[in-house]
Each structure stands twice: as structure tokens, then as C-alpha cells.
Amino acid sequence: MLLFITCLLVAAIGPVRADSWTGTLQDGSRLKVDPDSHRAMRYYKGGVAPLWDGTHRLEDGSVVIIRDGQAIPTESMINSWAEEPGSEPGMGTRYCDQLVRKVCGFHDECRHGQPCILARQLLGMEREQQGRTPGAAAPWPLTPSAGECREALSNPAFPACDSSAPGSEQTACRKLVEKVCGEADQCEAHQACNPARQLLQMESDERLRSADPEALTPTGAECEKAMDNAFFEPCR
């Protein structure tokens, strides 16, 4: 089943505007989606016209859905447009810090769990190894422990802290998931539930890499907009 997400960051960060996303439809025509308006235009034989509403299959087999002349952004569009504000230089490679955030929780909600204890041990080892690397070119030099943390980020033995743990904050995308899927996942079969969960995962990934995990992320901003989007109707 094709997974798609209905909202994305449409404003480029900084003075450089994001480029239009392009794809090739099965008839060979080109599809361009504007990052600001989501307007979908079809370029064919020297002409250009809005792409009609409906489901359109691309040359690579993926699908784009057009509603009211606007594209429901796919993961490919999100990946090409997404920017992360407020990132601390080097935070993207501080894998042990990311691992601790992931398994211990952004507010240490899961601090007593075994994955959190192990992650903190790896972080401590990394700090010791960094201390033995004087005059490193980078403020956060990569160490053997950093490599272990990087692998652990995708290891099932280091699961993300349960977002329902006591003290977990309600982020924009968490609120969207609860609205669409229900507080007890009673509406998980709803067509918008899976896209909402994808947005939540993207928001979490952005927070792991952010210098300020409490700051609103690009995906978080899109979840705020999605609260008023008819596609994300409330669980009933």
C-alpha cells in the first residue's frame, strides 16, 4: 500500500526558495508541484496546464493524488523540500546524544528502562573517548562509541521511548495523531491515520537532530496546519 502524507513544509528556510518538485507521468509528460502553493502543473508537448483532480501514476510506479488542483505531497516531495531550522552545527552527527533522546525520551520519561541505561553508558564512553582526543578538528569528534550509537539508532533493541509515558509532551503531530487515530487507536483504519503517524515519526526524527528539541519543527508546523485540513477528519 502506498504511504503518503498530506502536508509538508511549504516555505523554504532562509533566503533561498525551494525548487518545484518534478516527476514524470506515465504518458511521458512532466509534473511540477510548487512548494508554496502545492499547485500541480502538467507540461506536455510544449504546453502547460493544471493537472486534473484524481490519482495519477508516475513513471516509477508511485502515485500522486491531486485535489482541487493541488498535490497531496508524497514522501519524495517532503524529502526534497524539508528544511530543519535551528539545527546546531554537528548535532546531526552526535549519534549518542540522539540515541539518548530517542530511548530515554525528550524529558527522561523512560530513564529507568534498560535501553536508556545502555544508551547513557554509550554516551559516557563517547565523552571519555572525546576527552582523550585533544586538539580534534571538530568540536564533537567521531569516536568508536559514536559509531556504535549510530548503529543503535536503527537497532530494535533500542526502541523509541513510548510517547504515552508519564510526562510526555503533546507535540503538534502527537495531537494530530490523537485527533485522527483516536486516543486508544480506535480509528487506526481511517485513511488519514497512517499519514498522521508518518508525520509524527518525521517530527520525532527532526527533534532528535535539533539543537532545541522543544522548538517547532518543519513537520510540526505542517501538523498544526493539518488540524484544519478536512482530510484529517476527527476520529468518531
Side-chain angles (χ1 to χ4, degrees):
M1 175 181 178
L2 179 68
L3 303 180
F4 61 89
I5 298 175
T6 60
C7 289
L8 78 162
L9 180 67
V10 296
I13 304 301
V16 180
R17 183 180 180 276
D19 293 330
S20 295
W21 178 90
T22 62
T24 303
L25 296 165
Q26 285 194 324
D27 64 2
S29 59
R30 296 289 291 173
L31 169 63
K32 288 189 177 183
V33 179
D34 184 85
D36 295 329
S37 67
H38 301 186
R39 192 73 175 168
M41 304 298 291
R42 176 175 178 259
Y43 293 76
Y44 188 60
K45 293 184 176 180
V48 57
L51 186 61
W52 57 91
D53 288 1
T55 301
H56 303 267
R57 189 169 296 279
L58 299 180
E59 195 174 52
D60 62 3
S62 61
V63 170
V64 171
I65 298 174
I66 308 299
R67 289 181 181 165
D68 299 324
Q70 295 179 320
I72 293 178
T74 63
E75 186 172 1
S76 174
M77 296 177 194
I78 290 169
N79 289 338
S80 67
W81 288 334
E83 295 283 349
E84 182 181 359
S87 293
E88 176 182 324
M91 189 64 199
T93 57
R94 288 168 56 180
Y95 303 114
C96 289
D97 288 283
Q98 289 186 37
L99 182 64
V100 168
R101 284 182 178 181
K102 174 185 176 183
V103 301
C104 300
F106 291 99
H107 299 285
D108 278 344
E109 303 95 325
C110 299
R111 60 185 175 278
H112 300 302
Q114 187 64 19
C116 178
I117 294 172
L118 293 175
R120 290 195 182 283
Q121 289 177 353
L122 284 171
L123 178 61
M125 292 170 60
E126 181 191 44
R127 292 291 188 266
E128 291 180 5
Q129 292 167 358
Q130 289 172 338
R132 296 196 297 269
T133 312
W140 300 94
L142 293 179
T143 67
S145 291
E148 294 181 38
C149 288
R150 184 176 188 178
E151 294 179 3
L153 282 167
S154 58
N155 189 326
F158 291 88
C161 176
D162 186 352
S163 58
S164 64
S168 293
E169 76 277 34
Q170 291 292 294
T171 64
C173 292
R174 168 54 55 188
K175 292 176 182 177
L176 181 66
V177 168
E178 291 187 356
K179 171 191 173 183
V180 175
C181 305
E183 293 185 3
D185 287 338
Q186 65 268 34
C187 295
E188 62 180 351
H190 191 284
Q191 64 174 341
C193 181
N194 189 58
R197 284 176 172 167
Q198 290 184 61
L199 286 167
L200 176 61
Q201 181 60 57
M202 292 175 61
E203 180 192 48
S204 179
D205 290 343
E206 289 168 354
R207 294 178 70 209
L208 287 177
R209 299 188 299 271
S210 175
D212 179 9
E214 306 310 311
L216 185 67
T217 71
T219 303
E222 289 309 311
C223 285
E224 288 187 341
K225 297 177 186 177
M227 293 293 284
D228 297 323
N229 188 313
F231 177 78
F232 290 100
E233 61 182 6
C235 174
R236 292 185 175 88

